[in-house]
Amino acid sequence: MAENVALTGNDSAAYALRQINPDVVAAYPITPQTELMHKFAAYVADGEVDTELVRVESEHSAMSATVAASLSGARACTATSANGLALMWEILYIASSTRCPIVMPVVNRALSAPINIHCDHSDTMGARDSGWIQLYSENCQEAYDNAVQAVRIAEHPDVRLPVMVCLDGFILSHTLEGLEVNDDQDVKDFIGTLDRPDSLLNVDDPETFGMFTLQNYYFEFKKQQVDAMEKVPAVIEQVGQEYGELTGRSYGLLDPYRCEDADIILVGLGSTTGTAKQAADDLREEEGLKCGVLKLRTFRPFPAEQVCRVLSGADITGVLDRAVSFGLGGPLFHELRSARYGETAPMIDFIYGLGGRDLSLDNVKDIFRSLAEARDSGQTEPTTRFVGVRE
Amino acid sequence: MSELLKKDEMKPGGIGQGGSMERRYTGSWRTFVPITDFETCIQCLACWIVCPDSAIPVEDGERRETNMHHCKGCGICAVECPVDAITMVREGEEDDE
């Protein structure tokens, strides 16, 4: 039966992996993901899973082995962070385009240089065009729940795409939190068994994997990926609803908080949205500002329509970006603004927290206040603002 | 040329019928040609094992002439042959041997 336990983000993802019991996990350690795989390796050593744990020499190899396992019909997982994800780059695209339903927790961390081990989203934001589904977690409970649901989403016959389960490095990965975990058997029943329609190991009817396609066929394969991504939102919602029936915790593409009557909405990803919710509560009570928070659980595929619906009633929208596209601005802001093409309500981008710099409750309140000020004065410039940087 | 398949007629993931290279002529990639001296060959089939292109046909337990439709001239067979029955010769100069 379900029970309440205290787990860190890394432990919660490892706990989910134990219950998923993948056929193959290939992994390489990198801070802050290392503890996740320590924990999972202990499950393997203790015989609590049937997983073949492949200890590889790099993340490029980790993803390569995971892809090969997946193409062989195995349920395959891995996990990484930051530079490790960057080293997987080539194979990320191969995983998605060969339609491998891999589940990979990514413990978000800043990319070098300068080297830094703390949280920002520059790693997964850079992988946003790699054809992977991306789910972001606000807390350890969500990291656990997302990992379990990710299996169903990835393996859905309409989808068959890999999923990154993103959780903020240290802020979640190393923070102990009380959460509810499901019964082992319930997870087993919920995820079912993987049914891959083809397999590298099918010697009776051998097929070519990773075929060579040129000008006459490559484009059609890419359009297939586009089509598969378009089917993802409905699958995420359906799986999230079924998960809710099982656990009492339902999930969708978005998590709007006090947005129905909000004049000012702040949009964000991951753990910071928890802080933002508190700030919204406080400002509503203390200053009468009608604040709301829109958390995007799903960043890929980008839930443009759904986001626009939530934001339609707001006077002004702020976007919290924990990554920067040099020469452009915040990636979330730019995707959101593009989704809202034709809307007149102003938007301001707040780039924050690079390299793990803390965004305090007071910082978020100031962001809300600056949005209120911009709305009242009509002065929204500059539309890209950097929170807490010394200059 | 046969009609190209449309998007939804293709199996997703760039996965398709196996062994289709058999129908392609790739012998033109070759720079060197393996010349087998069947007088010296002891039919150990080492070449058949090591050939990365399955270009050495075997019938009735014996290797036959290398399939030049697929041989890329990599020379692994010549290196591995225990009795040096295979010589690599520059393409077009086979007759000089």
Side-chain angles (χ1 to χ4, degrees):
Chain A
M1 57 181 268
E3 57 177 335
N4 289 305
V5 293
L7 295 174
T8 65
N10 273 340
D11 287 349
S12 71
Y15 197 94
L17 285 181
R18 179 186 66 73
Q19 294 183 314
I20 292 163
N21 192 10
D23 300 305
V24 175
V25 167
Y28 191 80
I30 182 166
T31 301
Q33 160 267 27
T34 307
E35 283 188 338
L36 194 167
M37 274 301 151
H38 275 179
K39 191 74 176 204
F40 186 74
Y43 290 136
V44 174
D46 293 344
E48 293 193 45
V49 287
D50 308 309
T51 307
E52 171 137 0
L53 180 63
V54 187
R55 287 165 294 173
V56 290
E57 72 276 37
S58 75
E59 285 86 357
H60 190 278
S61 305
M63 186 47 68
S64 297
T66 308
V67 167
S70 182
L71 290 176
S72 305
R75 190 172 259 159
C77 299
T78 182
T80 195
S81 290
N83 301 38
L85 183 68
L87 189 53
M88 287 180 177
W89 225 253
E90 180 191 9
I91 316 299
L92 290 180
Y93 283 74
I94 293 172
S96 57
S97 55
T98 52
R99 309 299 291 275
C100 291
I102 294 165
V103 171
M104 174 166 69
V106 179
V107 187
N108 286 108
R109 160 186 154 178
L111 287 169
S112 300
I115 195 165
N116 175 297
I117 57 170
H118 288 281
C119 177
D120 69 34
H121 296 156
S122 55
D123 49 4
T124 49
M125 278 297 146
R128 65 191 184 273
D129 292 340
S130 65
W132 285 59
I133 295 163
Q134 290 190 348
L135 304 177
Y136 285 80
S137 318
E138 181 186 329
N139 48 44
C140 302
Q141 178 75 64
E142 290 191 5
Y144 167 80
D145 290 336
N146 282 340
V148 173
Q149 291 170 77
V151 177
R152 281 279 303 276
I153 296 164
E155 294 176 3
H156 192 285
D158 290 347
V159 176
R160 291 176 56 214
L161 289 170
V163 181
M164 292 184 195
V165 176
C166 306
L167 61 147
D168 287 347
F170 289 99
I171 299 166
L172 298 183
S173 69
H174 287 61
T175 302
L176 200 64
E177 179 186 304
L179 63 142
E180 187 176 293
V181 291
N182 309 317
D183 179 69
D184 287 359
Q185 188 61 43
D186 283 348
V187 172
K188 198 174 171 184
D189 295 341
F190 183 76
I191 62 174
T193 51
L194 170 63
D195 185 20
R196 195 184 164 93
D198 38 45
S199 166
L200 264 179
L201 301 181
N202 181 1
V203 291
D204 297 326
D205 185 16
E207 291 183 288
T208 296
F209 289 74
M211 64 163 66
F212 188 54
T213 68
L214 296 172
Q215 296 92 329
N216 56 356
Y217 274 113
Y218 182 88
F219 206 167
E220 280 69 27
F221 283 114
K222 294 298 113 180
K223 184 61 168 53
Q224 285 182 341
Q225 284 178 256
V226 171
D227 293 351
M229 267 295 186
E230 281 177 7
K231 292 180 178 155
V232 173
V235 172
I236 288 178
E237 284 178 331
Q238 179 212 323
V239 171
Q241 191 185 332
E242 276 183 49
Y243 192 76
E245 287 159 15
L246 176 71
T247 65
R249 299 183 299 279
S250 298
Y251 285 85
L253 299 162
L254 312 172
D255 176 22
Y257 181 76
R258 303 188 81 165
C259 287
E260 306 82 19
D261 67 335
D263 298 329
I264 306 166
I265 296 180
L266 201 46
V267 185
L269 302 165
S271 62
T272 304
T273 54
T275 314
K277 287 173 184 175
Q278 183 64 52
D281 284 348
D282 291 353
L283 291 175
R284 275 177 179 262
E285 194 172 323
E286 294 159 10
E287 300 176 27
L289 283 178
K290 283 160 87 176
C291 299
V293 177
L294 176 58
K295 178 178 77 187
L296 267 68
R297 174 185 179 228
T298 314
F299 181 72
R300 272 293 176 276
F302 193 76
E305 251 182 74
Q306 294 84 349
V307 168
C308 289
R309 270 204 295 277
V310 176
L311 298 180
S312 62
D315 298 336
I316 189 165
T317 297
V319 178
L320 290 168
D321 260 302
R322 199 164 200 152
V324 60
S325 175
F326 304 103
L328 179 69
L332 179 57
F333 174 79
H334 281 275
E335 299 211 355
L336 202 56
R337 196 164 66 167
S338 175
R340 300 187 74 220
Y341 178 74
E343 298 278 338
T344 49
M347 294 176 63
I348 300 177
D349 190 11
F350 297 90
I351 294 172
Y352 75 99
L354 302 188
R357 180 158 302 174
D358 194 27
L359 191 75
S360 69
L361 185 59
D362 284 340
N363 292 149
V364 185
K365 286 184 186 175
D366 285 343
I367 289 171
F368 271 123
R369 289 188 194 107
S370 67
L371 284 165
E373 197 181 298
R375 174 198 56 185
D376 297 342
S377 68
Q379 177 53 261
T380 56
E381 298 291 329
T383 51
T384 302
R385 304 178 185 187
F386 294 82
V387 182
V389 70
R390 296 181 302 278
E391 57 184 339
Chain B
M1 187 163 184
S2 61
E3 190 139 336
L4 295 171
L5 295 173
K6 289 185 179 146
K7 168 181 65 78
D8 293 331
E9 296 166 345
M10 293 155 49
K11 196 170 172 182
I15 295 160
Q17 189 184 20
S20 57
M21 280 307 281
E22 194 176 5
R23 299 197 299 270
R24 304 240 167 238
Y25 172 62
T26 49
S28 62
W29 303 7
R30 204 168 47 236
T31 305
F32 290 93
V33 189
I35 306 291
T36 307
D37 174 6
F38 283 92
E39 306 259 305
T40 312
C41 172
I42 55 171
Q43 292 296 346
C44 68
L45 301 188
C47 54
W48 172 70
I49 292 168
V50 299
C51 177
D53 261 309
S54 304
I56 301 193
V58 174
E59 286 168 32
D60 304 326
E62 293 194 354
R63 66 150 294 176
R64 303 296 187 216
E65 193 59 73
T66 305
N67 179 350
M68 295 304 170
H69 206 72
H70 293 116
C71 172
K72 313 287 187 299
C74 70
I76 294 174
C77 57
V79 170
E80 296 300 327
C81 178
V83 292
D84 295 332
I86 303 171
T87 318
M88 300 304 293
V89 180
R90 200 167 252 287
E91 182 81 35
E93 295 173 6
E94 304 95 300
D95 298 339
D96 301 347
E97 282 295 301

